[in-house]
Amino acid sequence: MKLDNINGPLFVEVNFVLRACQKTQISAFMESKKLSFLGVPRFIASGTHNSSYRFLIMERLGEELQKVLETRHLSISTTCRIACRIIGK
């Protein structure tokens, strides 16, 4: 879940997710490209609360990469595998 004030940058991300991250769209893209994995989390919900906050809820794909990088160093091979997953190769 991501949370931001109503005028924050989450507005742009929510709009992208609503347009590109629906389950059917992700499945169709993966099928058209013959992919078995696509590192894009599935959209679950979004909205506002008390006209003060905007929220976005998406599927969790595992441990956050930023937290991993803050706690340990990755090997070259692991870094390459992550890069390949990110760019879809």
Side-chain angles (χ1 to χ4, degrees):
M1 178 175 175
K2 292 184 174 187
L3 182 67
D4 197 4
N5 69 51
I6 199 72
N7 297 319
L10 192 58
F11 174 80
V12 175
E13 188 172 350
V14 167
N15 282 298
F16 169 79
V17 166
L18 288 172
R19 292 183 180 152
C21 296
Q22 300 293 329
K23 186 176 184 176
T24 55
Q25 293 169 307
I26 291 173
S27 296
F29 179 81
M30 289 175 63
E31 186 176 314
S32 72
K33 302 294 182 182
K34 297 178 176 49
L35 300 173
S36 61
F37 174 81
L38 183 65
V40 176
R42 184 177 52 87
F43 166 79
I44 296 173
S46 68
T48 58
H49 176 69
N50 291 336
S51 299
S52 299
Y53 297 98
R54 180 174 278 117
F55 65 89
L56 171 63
I57 302 173
M58 297 181 74
E59 173 184 34
R60 186 178 203 75
L61 295 178
E63 191 175 3
E64 292 180 25
L65 182 57
Q66 183 63 41
K67 288 185 180 181
V68 171
L69 295 174
E70 289 171 357
T71 59
R72 60 186 179 265
H73 294 285
L74 303 178
S75 69
I76 296 293
S77 64
T78 300
T79 303
C80 289
R81 284 197 315 268
I82 290 170
C84 287
R85 284 279 177 121
I86 289 171
I87 60 174
K89 297 289 181 185

